[in-house]
């Protein structure tokens, strides 16, 4: 992750010409090894052949390449700027983004799990651009994951970068590794949560977050 400067105009009293620099935005980029699509396509073809699936038919001939590109997309989050703004009005109530789509891949079977995330925080000195809550979820979801880790990574990262009074993250997802194989528990979902700061320690704040997230 690297920083690059963003500048905005903040005019001082009695001064109409001198801009004051804003706090630099954090450029968020996932550090990964270079993607070799050609090697991934060859490996996908070998994988299918090892399972007794021929790729010689017209409909399956391009499948190894499609598999390689699909997984490359699943594991490649989009870079973004974590844009924050001064909390000039001293807003101290809960900010909550509900039903953020979650799409990830179980690291144990490389099968997808999908669902929604509810992410909230109690602002401190700075507030966050609302779309960035969804960006942070996507950033950590685009890799082989387990839901428990994903939930905690999103909460811990927001706590570190934003320094709010509290953070709450709840994820509810359906896992293909449970519904399509093994126990085949069709329709089951998994719920995980991480609460930090005031949202963990204060019962009223915790209850407000869970109620607004639709969990009580």
């Amino acid at each position: 992750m690297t920083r690059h400067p963003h500048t905005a105009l903040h005019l001082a009293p009695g001064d109409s010409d001198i801009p004051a620099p804003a706090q630099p935005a954090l450029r968020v980029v996932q550090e990964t090894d270079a993607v070799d699509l050609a090697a991934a396509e060859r490996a996908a073809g070998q994988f299918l052949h090892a399972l007794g699936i021929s790729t010689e038919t017209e409909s399956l001939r391009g499948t190894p390449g499609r598999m390689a590109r699909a997984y490359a997309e699943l594991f490649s989050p989009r870079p973004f700027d974590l844009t924050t703004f001064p909390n000039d009005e001293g807003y101290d109530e809960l900010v909550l983004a509900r039903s953020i789509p979650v799409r990830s891949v179980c690291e144990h079977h490389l099968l997808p799990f999908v669902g929604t995330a509810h992410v909230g925080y109690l602002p401190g000195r700075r507030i966050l651009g609302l779309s960035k809550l969804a960006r942070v979820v996507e950033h950590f979801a685009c890799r082989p994951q387990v839901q428990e880790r994903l939930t905690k990574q999103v909460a811990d990262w927001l706590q570190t970068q934003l320094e709010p009074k509290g953070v709450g993250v709840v994820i509810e997802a359906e896992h293909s590794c449970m519904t399509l194989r093994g126990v085949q528990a069709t329709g089951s979902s998994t719920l995980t949560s991480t609460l930090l700061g005031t949202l963990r320690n204060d019962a009223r704040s915790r209850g407000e977050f869970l109620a607004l997230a639709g969990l009580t």
Side-chain angles (χ1 to χ4, degrees), residues 22-131:
Q23 178 169 307
L26 178 69
R27 183 65 171 173
V28 183
V29 180
Q30 181 173 302
E31 297 179 0
T32 59
D33 295 332
V35 175
D36 188 340
L37 283 176
E41 181 175 350
R42 290 193 298 271
Q46 293 169 357
F47 173 74
L48 292 172
H49 294 159
L51 293 176
I53 300 173
S54 172
T55 58
E56 299 305 315
T57 66
E58 182 178 350
S59 59
L60 283 168
R61 192 169 296 125
T63 295
R66 288 188 289 266
M67 285 178 59
R69 292 189 296 274
Y71 275 97
E73 180 179 342
L74 287 171
F75 297 150
S76 300
R78 295 167 290 180
F80 69 97
D81 293 331
L82 188 73
T83 311
T84 65
F85 307 94
N87 187 8
D88 292 332
E89 303 300 321
Y91 184 83
D92 60 359
E93 299 294 333
L94 186 65
V95 178
L96 175 66
R98 296 191 302 183
S99 301
I100 297 170
V102 174
R103 179 202 70 186
S104 192
V105 175
C106 164
E107 70 178 23
H108 300 138
H109 302 95
L110 287 190
L111 290 172
F113 65 89
V114 297
T116 57
H118 312 293
V119 182
Y121 71 100
L122 288 168
R125 293 183 302 106
R126 301 188 70 80
I127 57 177
L128 182 67
L130 290 177
S131 67

Side-chain angles (χ1 to χ4, degrees), residues 71 74-75 101-117 137 140-151 153 171-180 188-190 192:
Y71 275 97
L74 287 171
F75 297 150
V102 174
R103 179 202 70 186
S104 192
V105 175
C106 164
E107 70 178 23
H108 300 138
H109 302 95
L110 287 190
L111 290 172
F113 65 89
V114 297
T116 57
V137 171
F140 286 105
C142 284
R143 63 191 70 178
Q145 269 289 14
V146 296
Q147 186 175 326
E148 297 89 339
R149 182 198 303 130
L150 172 60
T151 307
Q153 283 178 332
I171 295 178
E172 183 173 8
E174 183 174 301
H175 292 249
S176 299
C177 59
M178 284 182 61
T179 60
L180 299 181
S188 68
S189 62
T190 299
T192 52

